Each structure stands twice: as structure tokens, then as C-alpha cells.
């Protein structure tokens, strides 16, 4: 039994690429889920997906200029993601259109532009690599960049945590306390762009948002407290990233989809058996006919 456990859970990490992949996955799992929790609390769950597509043209321009250079592609993704966020905010304020509608419009344009740029300057293999990532192919430079970005996100979140919580629960109160309350939202969007830029190398621009949102939405079935939501989401993301890598190694299947599908399995399990708002919770609250007879 011990030999089987070692073969499944320990031996794969004898390989350097697996060690780098698991460290990169754990770093993203530490930074991404708290952002997803705040997106859910703010009713902006789909904004993460829009931002994931918004960085694609910047990544594509970095690819055209320097090939598969992660630092250059990351800088391009950050710059273009911030640009799209600013443009969406400007259109929303000037035209009266809701910010999520403006963001949806820009993300569709960005996705088409990014795919077009990569198709012009590369091959179908290059396009697949950018869209779906390859966590098993990250090198030491990419790992250092991912770890640095994740650390920066965690530090900034800790600094603005109180203001971010107030902005989620009572934005009018925060605006009344300070004329510069809009900076909280701007910094938060910047953190989203940073996280998605770090994640595109491992999971691709199409699935980087999965490690952010699926653990966060799953945690809603297990806790009603903010610290509980964040802690559970981080644990679920770490389990999904590590478990997905192991499944990919043993079953010879793509690593990115394995991670996201395992996180999706955690979501379905939570929706069925979680403590709050799940199917099992509703069945537990459902009164039985005998209870009606006793009350009458």
C-alpha cells in the first residue's frame, strides 16, 4: 500500500518539470482564489473571464516582438489589460453604459484581435500554447515571475483588505468617507490583470480564470464568513492544481484541463453536499409530513 501511494503521490515529483509545475500551481492557488471570492461578493463573477481575454492582444504583441519570452509577454498582457479596464471604465462613465457591458464588448474585441495577431505571426501550435498554456513546460524564469507576481498580489491584498471589504459590503459608506474611494476598485482590477498574466503561462488565457473562480464559487457552499470563504477557496485550488498535475502525469492527459476539471468536480461536489445552499442542505431543511402532523 505504501509503495502504491509513493508511486502515485511522491515519485512524480522526482522530475524537475513536475516540481516546477506544482510550485507554480501552488503559488497561483494562493493568490487567485481570494480575488475570485471578492469578485463573487461584488457580483462581478464574469468580469474575471472578460479580463482574461482582455490581456490576449498584449500577450500576442509580446509574442510577435520576442517569441515565447514570458517577461515580455507578461508586460504586454499587463499593459493591455490595464488599458482595457481603463477604456471600459471611461465608456461606462461617459456613455452611461454599465461597466460589465462595456467590459464584455472590449473582451470580445480583444479576443479576436489577439487570436488574429498570433495567427499572423505564428502557427496553430503557438496559438494553442497561448490560449491553453502548458504548466509542465514552465522554466525557472517563468516560475520566478509567477511566484513574484503571486507574492505581490497577496501583499497588496493584505494592505487594501479592509477597504476592499467595506467597498464590497457598503460602497456608499466608503464613498462618503473618502473622495478617493475609486482607487480601491482600480487597484483591484489591476490585481486581476496581474494574476491573469501570471496564470496564462500555466493555464492559458482561456482557462487562467478557472483557478480563480471555481474554488471561490465552491467555497460559497461551505462557509458564510469571509475568512472561511478565502481559506476554503485556497485549499480547494491547491488540491485541484496538485491533483490535476498528478492525474495528468499518470493518465497522460493535458495538465491545464485536468486542473480545471478537477476544480469543476469540486464545485459539483460542493453544490450537492455543501453545508449551505446545496442540494443536501435543502433536503435537510425540507419539513417532513410527520412534522406537519405534529405541529397541527
Amino acid at each position: 500500500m505504501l509503495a502504491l501511494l509513493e508511486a502515485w503521490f511522491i515519485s512524480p515529483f522526482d522530475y524537475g518539470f513536475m516540481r516546477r509545475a506544482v510550485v507554480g500551481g501552488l503559488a497561483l492557488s494562493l493568490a487567485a482564489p481570494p480575488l475570485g471570492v471578492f469578485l463573487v461578493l461584488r457580483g462581478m463573477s464574469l468580469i474575471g473571464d472578460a479580463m482574461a481575454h482582455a490581456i490576449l492582444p498584449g500577450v500576442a504583441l509580446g509574442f510577435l516582438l520576442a517569441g515565447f519570452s514570458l517577461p515580455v509577454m507578461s508586460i504586454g498582457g499587463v499593459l493591455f489589460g490595464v488599458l482595457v479596464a481603463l477604456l471600459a471604465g471611461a465608456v461606462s462613465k461617459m456613455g452611461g453604459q454599465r461597466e460589465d457591458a462595456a467590459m464584455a464588448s472590449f473582451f470580445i474585441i480583444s479576443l479576436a484581435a489577439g487570436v488574429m495577431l498570433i495567427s499572423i505571426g505564428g502557427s496553430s501550435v503557438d496559438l494553442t500554447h497561448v490560449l491553453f498554456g502548458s504548466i509542465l513546460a514552465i522554466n525557472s524564469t517563468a516560475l520566478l515571475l509567477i511566484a513574484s507576481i503571486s507574492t505581490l498580489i497577496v501583499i497588496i491584498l493584505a494592505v487594501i483588505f479592509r477597504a476592499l471589504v467595506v467597498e464590497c459590503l457598503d460602497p456608499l459608506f466608503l464613498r462618503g468617507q473618502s473622495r478617493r474611494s475609486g482607487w480601491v476598485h482600480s487597484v483591484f482590477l489591476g490585481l486581476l490583470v496581474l494574476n491573469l498574466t501570471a496564470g496564462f503561462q500555466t493555464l492559458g488565457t482561456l482557462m487562467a480564470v478557472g483557478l480563480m473562480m471555481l474554488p471561490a464559487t465552491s467555497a460559497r457552499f461551505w462557509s458564510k464568513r469571509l475568512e472561511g470563504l478565502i481559506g476554503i477557496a485556497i485549499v480547494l485550488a491547491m488540491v485541484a492544481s496538485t491533483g490535476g498535475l498528478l492525474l495528468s502525469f499518470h493518465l497522460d492527459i493535458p495538465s491545464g484541463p485536468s486542473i480545471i476539471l478537477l476544480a469543476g468536480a469540486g464545485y459539483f461536489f460542493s453544490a450537492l453536499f455543501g453545508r449551505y445552499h446545496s442540494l443536501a442542505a435543502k433536503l435537510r431543511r425540507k419539513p417532513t409530513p410527520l412534522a406537519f402532523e405534529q405541529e397541527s
Side-chain angles (χ1 to χ4, degrees), residues 122-210:
S123 64
S124 59
V125 175
D126 298 327
L127 179 61
T128 301
H129 182 80
V130 173
L131 292 179
F132 300 104
S134 180
I135 191 171
L136 296 178
I138 60 174
N139 54 26
S140 300
T141 302
L143 181 59
L144 180 61
L145 183 62
I146 292 169
S148 300
I149 291 177
S150 298
T151 302
L152 180 63
I153 290 172
V154 171
I155 292 173
I156 295 177
L157 267 181
V159 172
I160 69 169
F161 186 81
R162 187 185 296 272
L164 194 56
V165 171
V166 174
E167 205 241 352
C168 287
L169 301 179
D170 195 348
L172 294 179
F173 173 78
L174 185 63
R175 292 172 190 167
Q177 294 297 311
S178 174
R179 295 180 179 179
R180 299 181 179 180
S181 59
W183 70 268
V184 179
H185 183 67
S186 300
V187 171
F188 180 72
L189 289 180
L191 293 180
L192 285 181
V193 173
L194 279 175
N195 180 78
L196 293 169
T197 303
F200 89 86
Q201 171 70 10
T202 57
L203 300 171
T205 56
L206 293 185
M207 291 190 295
V209 72

Side-chain angles (χ1 to χ4, degrees), residues 242-260:
T242 306
L245 283 172
L246 291 172
L247 288 176
S248 172
F249 180 85
H250 291 294
L251 303 180
D252 194 23
I253 54 180
S255 53
S258 299
I259 293 172
I260 301 305

Side-chain angles (χ1 to χ4, degrees), residues 13-138:
F13 299 111
D14 291 338
Y15 299 94
F17 69 90
M18 284 292 291
R19 291 195 296 269
R20 289 190 295 271
V22 75
V23 172
L26 291 177
L28 289 174
S29 299
L30 189 63
L35 296 174
V37 169
F38 281 110
L39 280 175
V40 173
L41 292 178
R42 294 156 66 99
M44 299 170 58
S45 299
L46 293 179
I47 293 296
D49 188 52
M51 293 302 298
H53 294 81
I55 69 172
L56 185 56
V59 172
L61 286 175
F63 167 74
L64 291 178
L65 293 174
F68 279 111
S69 172
L70 184 60
V72 176
M73 294 168 72
S74 298
I75 292 173
V78 169
L79 293 178
F80 210 91
V82 171
L83 176 63
V84 169
L86 292 175
L87 288 175
V91 170
S92 176
K93 290 181 180 179
M94 290 188 302
Q97 188 179 45
R98 288 185 52 173
E99 188 176 15
D100 58 343
M103 189 69 74
S105 301
F106 277 109
F107 106 74
I108 295 171
I109 297 170
S110 300
L111 177 62
V115 172
M116 181 65 71
L117 286 172
I118 299 174
S119 300
I120 292 174
S123 64
S124 59
V125 175
D126 298 327
L127 179 61
T128 301
H129 182 80
V130 173
L131 292 179
F132 300 104
S134 180
I135 191 171
L136 296 178
I138 60 174

